[in-house]
């Protein structure tokens, strides 16, 4: 997976039984829209708060997510593919 613009940094990736959690940082002092490309089209994607609670369900188009970020914002995505990945 990858993200753009360059100020969008992947800070963590943690495997889960049916997908993974992906940590992202907008390393910019400006608001940005990030584009995240997911190689395997997800079944569902949730944006989580710092406590792990679901903030929003997100839609991807052919594995591409568009996310608004505030300056210096950290976000966690839970990406679920369905079925075990191991």
């Amino acid at each position: 997976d990858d993200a753009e613009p360059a100020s969008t940094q992947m800070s963590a990736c943690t495997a889960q039984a049916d997908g993974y959690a992906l940590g992202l940082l907008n390393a910019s002092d400006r608001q940005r829209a990030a584009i995240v490309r997911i190689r395997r089209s997800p079944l569902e994607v949730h944006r989580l708060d710092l406590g792990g609670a679901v903030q929003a369900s997100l839609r991807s188009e052919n594995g591409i997510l568009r996310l608004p970020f505030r300056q210096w914002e950290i976000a966690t995505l839970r990406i679920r593919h369905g079925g075990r990945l191991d």
Side-chain angles (χ1 to χ4, degrees), residues 13-70:
C13 186
T14 306
Q16 299 179 341
D18 60 353
Y20 54 96
L22 182 64
L24 299 168
L25 165 67
N26 174 23
S28 172
D29 61 358
R30 296 189 337 208
Q31 244 179 258
R32 303 247 181 205
I35 297 172
V36 178
R37 289 180 189 82
I38 301 169
R39 291 185 192 138
R40 184 176 163 203
S41 233
L43 181 62
E44 59 185 15
V45 179
H46 293 110
R47 189 170 186 157
L48 308 179
D49 66 16
L50 291 176
V54 174
Q55 285 183 315
S57 293
L58 306 174
R59 281 189 29 204
S60 74
E61 294 181 26
N62 298 318
I64 297 174
L65 295 167
R66 298 181 198 295
L67 304 168
F69 274 96
R70 294 183 312 268

